[in-house]
Amino acid sequence: MATYTLPELPYDYAALEPVINPQIIELHHDKHHAAYVKGANDTLEQLAEARDKEAWGAINGLQKSLAFHLSGHILHSIYWHNMTGDGGGEPLAADGVGDLADAITESFGSFAGFKAQLTKAAATTQGSGWGVLAYEPVSGKLIVEQVYDHQGNVGQGSVPVLVFDAWEHAFYLQYKNQKVDFIEAMWAVVNWQDVAKRYAAAKERADVLLLAP
Ligand code: MN
């Protein structure tokens, strides 16, 4: 029995038009995300086989593969729920997401400053990567991370709450080489209710690192 399974999309393929067209969503979920799920499961099997046979020749590649595929699965699972056809704007207390709005202001100085940093971090990824808003439990603040592939350039223990996929497969069929246009358009589909829920859950788990027992 597989450890990881591909989650269903919370909407149909056309739900995010015109920001993201249905063909991209279908390929992205059914092919790309599915491949990360399979990759994570396959790698766990190969590691189990290595333990059984005490054959460690491929250990470095397997550990890298596990981090890559598992992180790909996790980030995409968050990504689908971070978006909605009814999204956009900015988090407001009147919409019940005041805690998130306050945390963004406290952590970045202003919503505009946060938006500019995340847009820039996502749009300037070199090669493949993500722009991520994460809860950092040691400081108790939100930070922006510019992730390489799915797993590099990340602070240990930080919890992603809003993720922008900046891989070419996320936009190329529609935006061609204009990655910055895609990232700027993404703000119109952000599901702030979902981001606020993730922020609240991450904050609840803030003692998980136990740095100062
Ligand atoms: Mn992707």
Side-chain angles (χ1 to χ4, degrees), residues 46-207:
Q46 290 170 292
L47 283 163
E49 196 180 316
R51 289 193 299 275
D52 286 347
K53 295 181 177 169
E54 296 185 41
W56 298 111
I59 183 69
N60 289 352
L62 288 172
Q63 295 293 164
K64 186 177 179 191
S65 177
L66 180 62
F68 177 84
H69 289 101
L70 174 58
S71 299
H73 171 43
I74 290 170
L75 287 175
H76 285 92
S77 298
I78 297 168
Y79 181 62
W80 308 124
H81 287 272
N82 275 169
M83 299 185 286
T84 171
D86 300 324
E90 56 182 279
L92 298 170
D95 298 328
V97 292
D99 285 354
L100 173 66
D102 291 347
I104 287 173
T105 305
E106 190 191 325
S107 302
F108 298 99
S110 65
F111 181 80
F114 151 68
K115 185 176 177 180
Q117 185 180 346
L118 181 53
T119 300
K120 212 47 141 172
T124 63
T125 49
Q126 297 176 320
S128 299
W130 298 71
V132 171
L133 173 68
Y135 179 74
E136 197 290 287
V138 179
S139 66
K141 291 194 172 179
L142 292 162
I143 57 171
V144 165
E145 298 177 317
Q146 185 184 57
V147 177
Y148 300 157
D149 291 337
H150 304 302
Q151 76 279 23
N153 220 25
V154 170
Q156 294 285 348
S158 64
V159 181
V161 297
L162 172 61
V163 300
F164 282 8
D165 194 335
W167 282 56
E168 286 189 347
H169 67 225
F171 66 89
Y172 210 87
L173 289 173
Q174 186 176 353
Y175 292 84
K176 306 297 189 290
N177 60 324
Q178 299 302 314
K179 180 156 64 175
V180 67
D181 290 351
F182 168 62
I183 298 299
E184 285 174 357
M186 276 291 300
W187 290 98
V189 292
V190 172
N191 183 344
W192 291 113
Q193 300 290 335
D194 182 69
V195 179
K197 188 180 75 180
R198 294 174 190 283
Y199 168 67
K203 212 172 151 184
E204 283 289 308
R205 296 164 40 204
D207 63 348

